[in-house]
Each structure stands twice: as C-alpha cells, then as structure tokens.
Amino acid sequence: MSQQYMMKGNEALAEAALRAGCRYFFGYPITPQTELSAYMSKRMPKIGGTFLQAESEIAAINMVLGASSVGARVMTSSSSPGISLKTEGISYIAGSDLPCLIVNVQRGGPGLGGIQPSQADYFQATKAPGHGDLHIMVFAPASIQEIVDMVGRAFDKADQYRVPAMLLADGALGQMMEPIAFPDESEEKKLPEKPWAATGTKGSRKPNIINSLYLNPNKLEDSVRERFERYEKIKENEVLYEEVMTDDADLVLIAYGITSRICKTAVNMARAEGIKLGLLRPITLWPFPEKAIAKIADHAKAFMSVEMSMGQMVDDVRLAVNGKCPVRFFGRTGGVIPTPDEILQAAKDVLASVGGDK
Amino acid sequence: MDKNIVLAGFGGQGILFAGKVLAYTGMIDNLHVSWLPSYGPEMRGGTANCSVCISENEIGSPRVLNPNILIVMNIQSYDRFIDTVVDGGGVVINSTLINKKTNNEKINCVYIPATEMANENGLQGLANIICLGAMLKQSGMTSYKTMEEAVKKCVPASKAHLLDANLKALKLGYDFEG
C-alpha cells in the first residue's frame, strides 16, 4: 500500500496540484480556503515554482491569464465572494481558449455571507462563470482522496480542450482531514506540448496571438462556434458520476460534494427500513450527467435534489428528467450542513406524496 | 461500532491537536476517518471544537451532532455539548475547570482534574492528552499502543523534545482512578 497521509482538503489539493506539475499559483487569502495558499507559499519556492499573493482576486486571475498564455500549468483558488471578483478574468481566459485550474472552496452567500460550508455557487460555476457565451468544466469532489485524484485530471482536461476547469469544493471539504494516498509518486509528471503558447517565435514561425477581442461579429461568431464544438466533445466524453442503488430505487436522490456523502448515509438508513432510496452523485457538474438521470427517470417514481442551497442543481435535474416524473428539492443554506435524518424524513415525505406504482 | 467524537474547550487547550491524535489512531487501525474543526472567529480566544468520526464504513457527514464520545475541557463546552451525547455514550470532563456534574444516568462520565494534574506534573498545556488517556481507558476505542503511536506521529519534528511529555501525559490520564 502506498504511503498514507492525514491532510486537510485545502492542503491535499495544493500538494496534488504540485504533483500534477503546477508551478504557478496566484491567489489572495480568504476563509475557508486560506490553507491552500499558505501551503503553496511554503512549497512553491522550494521546488522552483512561483507563488504570488496578488493585491486582489482580480489581479490574481489576470496573472493566471498571463501565465497560461505562455503555456504554464497554472492555478488560482478562492472562496465564493473572491470567485465573484474573478469572473471577468475567467471570461477572458475562456474567450482566449486558455487552460487553467480555478478552485472554489464555497462558503455561504450572498454578499460576504458567512464562512461555513455551502453549495450556493452552483449557478455561478455551471451557468455564468463569466459574461458571454461560455462554459468551464466543473469538477465536484466528495472526499479528500477524490480531491487528490481529481486535481491532475482537471489540469489535463483543461489542457486537452483548452478550456478552464473549476474544482468546486466547500468549506467542509477544505477544512476537514481524511487519510489519503497520492498517485504515481515515483513518476515524473510529463506535461503536454502547447504549440499555441505565446513563447516567442525565434524567427521560425508566425506569432501566436492570445486574444479574446474580435470586433468583426462574424469572426467572433466563428470563434464562439468553434469553442462550442469542443464543448460538445466534452459533453460526449467527460461526464462523470456515481450511482448508488439506483436500479430498483423508488426515489433517487441527486447530490454532489459533501452533501452526497450525507445522502449515502440516508440511503443506507432508508434501505435498513426497507425503503428503496438510491443516489446519483454528479462528479462533473458541467458537463452534467443528464443522460444517466434521464435513463433512471424511466423507472424511478421521483427524484429529490439535495443541496446546501435554496435549490440550484435541481433545475438541471428537472431539465434532464424532462417531465417523466416529479422532481423535488431538499436543502439547507447559509452554512448549515444537512443531517442524514432530515434528508431521510424529506425523502419519506416525497415518497408519501408521489405514492403509487410507476 | 462507529466512534462519533466531539472534543471541545478553549482555543489554546490543544483541542484540535487531541482530535488529530484520535484521527491518526483510526488511520493506524486502518479504519475510515474524518476530522473536522470548528473554524472561524470563535477560535480566537473563544471556544474551539472538533468532530472526529472513526468507522469501519465510509463516513457520511464529518460533522458530529450527537457524539458517543465527548471530551470537554471548559465550562462553556460542557454547557453546550453535555446534552448532545447519545444514551450509553462516554464523557471525559476536565473537572479542574468544570465544577458541574450531570444528573443524566444514561451517559458515563469520568471527572478528571486534567489541568491540575498537568500543572502538578510539569506537563503544562497537556491536559488535552491527559483527557485522551482517560478517554482511552473508559472507551477502549483502540489499543494503548496505537494511541502512543498516534501521539508520536502528531508531535512535529520541530517539537520532538515534547514527545516524552506527551507520552507521560497519556499514561497519567490512562492510569487515573476516578
């Protein structure tokens, strides 16, 4: 067995990023994400990388744009209000077809909100991570080990499609510790070639231009359409999800991140009482596992989206189910973590209200 | 059986460290483990607490609302958490700083003057580990050897000179006759 470590989510994420070849980190401190920056500040200089605490989140995301333009594997991290500040830069990065990793360790909102765990930035991450016609890939880990395993993948996929990737965690995942092991400890990470990077022509080729400004509407439309062709490939090939006892389930819970773990407990409690509960856990939020949900909708009696928000992902569940059966919602917000008991009770209430055989 | 543990006290009493030692025992015993601190302004001079879950199964919520093991090191924590313990649960109470006793006969309490014991034995600041020792004796949650090993893993190299004191504190708590 490989070496086990006990690490906070924030620190494990940082270490996994270093092991994935990230050598540039630009950020600005904010609870509950700060340990990630702190870890980077300690380790980056020792391995020849660059850690820079910028004067603001806006500066940090634009430094990410710059570093990515010249082909660096680069990331930034923040928490909800800080991500709002970064959205302009995220849009520019997406519009310039640049890969990078953005980490959001979500806290309660809106506004300055609170500092306790939340999932209220689902809309922001999946619908409007910046202005304009754009998507970013959104990964939603549910454990510290999954954070570790996912960071390298997020960087690789961002490079492969030249699309920014976001890792959407929350305060609980950031702050908690679990035993973890790092993959491929012996292998030196090989990063992909980036022939598009603005690294200087040395007189041997045409200049590479990194840009998101197209004053000719037809040219801008062409560039957006080309990007959307890549989005279609991402939707086809990169959807990740986990199913727990959905085959015979009457009611299927949909939950991601920390909430999905609590739902798993609720599913096990329900099964012990003879209630057929199941769970589908989206691991990628964009692309969303809409086909998997549609398939379950053929036999389940109902769905219940469980979130630490007032109901955001539930909209995507409704679109995927497309009227085949009822879609309900249970959530806690503002930094409150739901308990398995209240999820189970809400599930029983839904089952009582939908009743009957399918 | 699942161990759902809450540790609580002042910031500075080593609550999070003691919780980390417990988390390491779970890792050494090859069980599923989670450790979740309270974080935020309440840690600055106010109360600090953390939740530790140790289980043979995957852990759902890392936040423990109803512990079956509770360690409380100051009066505010006692007041806040004593009624959250499940029936049959075990509680270790730092009686130097908590002059209350519970009437609840469904929980098992050890009253240990941990702060006083630490001061008398030149182990200032290690009342937390004394409480861990008492809790280990009461709960039998793991072996003494595992707990010792966990302490060794948690004391950082830069503070290696404090390891013996930590192990002494563990023994003192374990041998306490209430």
Side-chain angles (χ1 to χ4, degrees), chain A residues 1 4-6 8 31-32 115-117 171-172 175-179 258 261-262 264-265 335 337-340, chain B residues 16 20 23-28 30-37 39-42 58-63 65:
Chain A
M1 201 170 76
Q4 279 209 309
Y5 300 87
M6 183 81 77
K8 277 190 163 193
T31 304
I115 58 172
Q116 298 304 317
Q175 292 296 322
M176 66 192 271
M177 288 199 289
E178 289 181 322
I258 196 81
R261 303 164 55 128
I262 307 167
K264 251 187 218 179
T265 306
I337 301 176
T339 66
Chain B
L16 302 186
K20 194 170 159 185
Y24 267 86
T25 66
M27 185 166 98
I28 294 164
N30 241 332
L31 298 166
H32 292 272
V33 181
S34 70
W35 172 98
L36 179 71
Y39 60 92
E42 75 266 34
E58 267 183 65
I59 289 157
S61 179
R63 180 160 291 170
L65 297 175

Side-chain angles (χ1 to χ4, degrees), chain B residues 1 9 13 34 84-85 89-90 95 97 100 105 113 130 147-148:
Chain B
M1 197 184 78
Q13 278 182 316
S34 70
T84 64
V85 180
S95 58
L97 300 178
K100 290 185 185 175
E105 286 170 4
I130 292 175
M147 186 74 86
E148 264 189 338

Side-chain angles (χ1 to χ4, degrees), chain A residues 61-269:
Chain A
I61 192 70
N62 284 294
M63 290 172 187
V64 170
L65 191 158
S68 185
S69 298
V70 296
R73 181 158 275 201
V74 57
M75 69 179 288
T76 185
S77 67
S78 192
S79 178
S80 309
I83 297 293
S84 291
L85 285 166
K86 290 183 195 292
T87 53
E88 181 199 46
I90 294 171
S91 176
Y92 278 57
I93 291 169
S96 307
D97 294 316
L98 294 171
C100 67
L101 178 65
I102 301 144
V103 175
N104 183 0
V105 184
Q106 295 172 92
R107 56 188 254 181
L112 268 181
I115 58 172
Q116 298 304 317
S118 164
Q119 297 181 318
D121 300 345
Y122 178 92
F123 279 155
Q124 183 187 53
T126 62
K127 312 294 177 200
H131 62 278
D133 266 332
L134 74 98
H135 289 289
I136 60 176
M137 300 185 71
V138 183
F139 295 86
S143 68
I144 313 298
Q145 184 64 55
E146 197 171 38
I147 288 177
V148 166
D149 297 338
M150 203 176 264
V151 168
R153 182 184 181 87
F155 272 121
D156 290 344
K157 292 298 165 187
D159 281 344
Q160 182 183 338
Y161 293 101
R162 292 183 64 183
V163 165
M166 176 178 277
L167 206 137
L168 191 65
D170 65 75
L173 283 170
Q175 292 296 322
M176 66 192 271
M177 288 199 289
E178 289 181 322
I180 49 157
F182 291 100
D184 306 321
E185 305 220 14
S186 56
E187 284 172 38
E188 183 72 18
K189 181 84 187 173
K190 260 191 112 178
L191 301 185
E193 295 289 317
K194 294 180 178 174
W196 48 262
T199 50
T201 66
K202 300 181 184 72
S204 63
R205 60 164 167 81
K206 276 195 182 167
N208 289 333
I209 295 169
I210 307 290
N211 174 43
S212 70
L213 176 67
Y214 296 85
L215 292 174
N216 178 328
N218 292 315
K219 288 215 162 130
L220 179 53
E221 186 183 47
D222 288 347
S223 89
V224 173
R225 282 191 185 282
E226 185 280 322
R227 193 170 304 117
F228 268 72
E229 282 167 22
R230 272 180 281 142
Y231 292 163
E232 281 308 311
K233 288 200 181 102
I234 293 172
K235 283 175 154 180
E236 256 167 59
N237 300 317
E238 305 301 343
V239 176
L240 297 173
Y241 59 91
E242 179 193 0
E243 285 184 77
V244 180
M245 291 185 270
T246 53
D247 286 347
D248 66 339
D250 290 327
L251 175 65
V252 175
L253 308 179
I254 314 272
Y256 71 93
I258 196 81
T259 310
S260 68
R261 303 164 55 128
I262 307 167
C263 285
K264 251 187 218 179
T265 306
V267 167
N268 290 330
M269 287 162 66

